Amino acid sequence: MIRKLYVLIVVILLLAACEIQPDNNEGNAEETIGNPTAEEVLSSSPDADIFMAGDIIYSNAEDIDWVMEADLTLGEEVMEITKQSTNIQEFESGTATELPVGTKIFDHNEHRGAIYIAVVEGEEIRYIGLIEG
């Protein structure tokens, strides 16, 4: 008897925890969660120092203490900046808002998040991937 009561309580809790999703045809807007786009970043911060690698936007991390304090060493080169632009229609992988064309982008040898390192005139500049989730 106690076992049946326990099972019933678990089933009720599971059902209560389930959320019924609204039908989008009823006028409810569906919120999409995904990585920020260049358009979203530049719309809110037109002067943002970003670049795009693949489908990920990387943002200058000079104001993020844990990124700047991390002991990172340059790994392999992952890409080169091929275009400089703030035009969101032109933004694609290899495009940067501030990094000059020809800037080499490197991964790091430590496995500590989505951090890339740009090297400009011998100076290392750290960028962090804007990844949701």
Side-chain angles (χ1 to χ4, degrees):
M1 178 71 174
I2 293 178
R3 185 172 183 184
K4 288 182 181 179
L5 182 60
Y6 175 75
V7 170
L8 181 60
I9 291 172
V10 170
V11 169
I12 291 171
L13 289 174
L14 286 173
L15 290 174
C18 292
E19 180 181 338
I20 299 173
Q21 297 295 321
D23 183 358
N24 285 338
N25 293 332
E26 295 176 7
N28 295 324
E30 179 180 322
E31 183 176 330
T32 303
I33 298 176
N35 297 332
T37 64
E39 179 177 10
E40 291 168 336
V41 173
L42 293 173
S43 293
S44 63
S45 299
D47 296 331
D49 179 3
I50 61 172
F51 70 86
M52 188 171 188
D55 60 350
I56 305 292
I57 299 295
Y58 286 79
S59 179
N60 186 305
E62 67 184 5
D63 294 330
I64 304 172
D65 292 338
W66 72 268
V67 174
M68 299 308 293
E69 293 168 1
D71 187 22
L72 302 177
T73 54
L74 283 183
E76 68 179 65
E77 181 180 330
V78 293
M79 65 175 292
E80 183 175 313
I81 299 301
T82 56
K83 184 184 344 179
Q84 190 181 61
S85 179
T86 56
N87 183 338
I88 56 176
Q89 275 72 36
E90 295 178 3
F91 232 85
E92 60 190 9
S93 187
T95 305
T97 56
E98 293 189 17
L99 292 172
V101 170
T103 299
K104 307 279 190 216
I105 308 294
F106 296 86
D107 201 349
H108 55 88
N109 290 322
E110 297 70 27
H111 299 284
R112 191 179 164 116
I115 301 169
Y116 279 165
I117 303 168
V119 178
V120 179
E121 297 178 1
E123 179 187 351
E124 293 182 6
I125 306 169
R126 295 180 182 190
Y127 287 78
I128 188 163
L130 304 180
I131 300 173
E132 291 291 326

